[in-house]
Amino acid sequence: MEEIFSCDLASGLYVPQSGQQFRINDRGPVPRTQTDLSALLLGKGGGYQVFYEAVNGSISSLRYKSGERDGWFYSGLVDPHQHENSSLAAGFAYTDNIHLVSCGSEDDFSTVVGSQRKDKVWDIRMPS
Amino acid sequence: MSLLAASSPRGGMLLFGHANKVRKRLFSSCTASLVPLISFPPRSFFIAPANYLLFGPGTPHRIMAAHATFSSACLWLLFILHSVGASQIASFVNEHYNAPQVIRYDPDTKLIMYSLCNSNGTPVFPANSSAAFDTKPYTPIVGTHISLTGYIDEEKGTLFVSHRHRFGYYMLTIVPETAVFPGGGRRHCGRNLFL
């Protein structure tokens, strides 16, 4: 779901706008209810990318790009390995260089770092 | 253990965390190529030479924050959180006002509160229902994780808000699986808010 809020510069409050609801594409793995979320803004005109943990423990992502495939679409599997109850953090310095970090729980600590190459393939590493 | 990250409109990356182990592993594993490695004492806030922010302790859950500019290409914002799960707070830098835009999910009131969008320099965070998103009827589930990023649209700002930039905010939470969405079906889904 998507909803538009405008910033009232006088009061600093957000005012909801009507008639701006969009459907997120339901293709791709179903998100786990308690998944962590990480959203990226992919530069000017690049849209958004959202990372989440699926019910099978893998990490997938959704993309949004204005005017493309009805807005939101499933953009593919990032890492098929288990990430149950992990925390996700993603960021990018340039539009072709996205970094994703996943950390497991306190008891089962592990860190996975992923970087998306220019050919859109994810390079997943597990630092020692 | 929690981590958050968001992008800065100028290409920097913001990271949030409060578990010492995570900090060490995170910084040593993924930031070396982006910014100089930094270190700081646990459970305290980093005092930046150029800029400094502090929330609280006037809020029910004390939140402290500091941010620093380490290079022209990378702006870091570090949150040290007390009594607040890091995945229940999110932020990105509103560079026009030089202030972080902060949102926080309060499990007690089930509200997603925000800092005032016209905050200049230091963010103003009322931490009550006076500054909370109206999320009805898709109120987020208890324990939801939230994420936030945003943009400044100068072109639209010029067009629609005279001589002002237009700020965009994107927030995503998990809503109850029983929520009904346009197009039919009941499923897990995200909620996204932006200006």
Side-chain angles (χ1 to χ4, degrees):
Chain A
M1 291 293 297
E2 192 168 64
E3 186 170 337
I4 305 292
F5 283 73
S6 0
C7 172
D8 182 343
L9 293 173
S11 66
L13 300 178
Y14 285 103
V15 181
Q17 305 293 297
S18 60
Q20 295 287 344
Q21 296 185 335
F22 306 94
R23 177 183 175 186
I24 289 181
N25 195 306
D26 57 0
R27 287 178 292 180
V30 175
R32 191 168 60 82
T33 306
Q34 293 299 316
T35 178
D36 200 2
L37 301 165
S38 188
L40 281 181
L41 172 64
L42 302 176
K44 190 172 184 178
Y48 302 101
Q49 187 158 11
V50 173
F51 297 92
Y52 67 93
E53 183 184 315
V55 289
N56 62 7
S58 64
I59 292 179
S60 290
S61 69
L62 299 171
R63 279 286 308 274
Y64 173 87
K65 198 166 185 179
S66 180
E68 183 174 318
R69 302 190 211 178
D70 298 325
W72 284 99
F73 57 93
Y74 174 64
S75 56
L77 185 68
V78 175
D79 186 6
H81 298 98
Q82 293 294 307
H83 292 262
E84 190 171 1
N85 298 319
S86 65
S87 293
L88 294 174
F92 83 108
Y94 307 97
T95 54
D96 60 353
N97 189 8
I98 299 172
H99 298 272
L100 176 71
V101 176
S102 170
C103 286
S105 64
E106 193 78 53
D107 296 332
D108 182 22
F109 183 80
S110 63
T111 302
V112 175
V113 179
S115 300
Q116 190 172 32
R117 306 194 306 247
K118 289 184 178 180
D119 57 4
K120 305 301 180 185
V121 175
W122 282 90
D123 178 18
I124 303 295
R125 288 165 290 162
M126 302 185 73
S128 56
Chain B
M1 176 186 306
S2 297
L3 293 173
L4 279 180
S7 58
S8 168
R10 290 181 184 172
M13 184 169 73
L14 312 176
L15 290 175
F16 311 87
H18 68 144
N20 299 334
K21 194 183 297 183
V22 173
R23 263 191 225 145
K24 293 175 183 175
R25 295 294 288 268
L26 178 64
F27 288 152
S28 64
S29 62
C30 76
T31 64
S33 62
L34 299 176
V35 296
L37 189 66
I38 61 173
S39 61
F40 41 85
R43 283 287 181 189
S44 64
F45 48 89
F46 181 77
I47 300 176
N51 212 332
Y52 172 69
L53 305 169
L54 179 66
F55 297 159
T59 56
H61 298 283
R62 192 176 181 202
I63 303 171
M64 292 191 295
H67 82 223
T69 302
F70 288 89
S71 71
S72 59
C74 237
L75 177 66
W76 285 79
L77 176 67
L78 169 66
F79 274 73
I80 309 298
L81 307 172
H82 294 259
S83 305
V84 178
S87 291
Q88 293 179 308
I89 186 169
S91 175
F92 78 98
V93 170
N94 178 334
E95 293 196 344
H96 182 66
Y97 282 132
N98 192 30
Q101 172 65 55
V102 180
I103 63 171
R104 181 199 150 203
Y105 175 73
D106 181 1
D108 296 330
T109 61
K110 298 180 177 60
L111 294 174
I112 296 177
M113 302 171 182
Y114 56 80
S115 59
L116 299 184
C117 56
N118 60 357
S119 299
N120 197 339
T122 301
V124 178
F125 195 87
N128 57 43
S129 60
S130 70
F133 287 109
D134 178 8
T135 57
K136 295 177 182 177
Y138 304 114
T139 303
I141 61 174
V142 174
T144 184
H145 293 227
I146 59 176
S147 185
L148 174 78
T149 188
Y151 65 91
I152 302 172
D153 192 333
E154 299 184 14
E155 294 179 359
K156 286 186 178 178
T158 302
L159 287 173
F160 300 108
V161 184
S162 178
H163 302 300
R164 288 182 183 274
H165 297 302
R166 189 179 189 201
F167 302 106
Y169 301 104
Y170 175 92
M171 181 178 70
L172 190 144
T173 73
I174 297 297
V175 301
E177 57 182 317
T178 55
V180 179
F181 296 94
R186 295 169 181 265
R187 59 186 181 275
H188 301 283
C189 197
R191 178 182 180 84
N192 320 292
L193 315 169
F194 70 90
L195 170 65

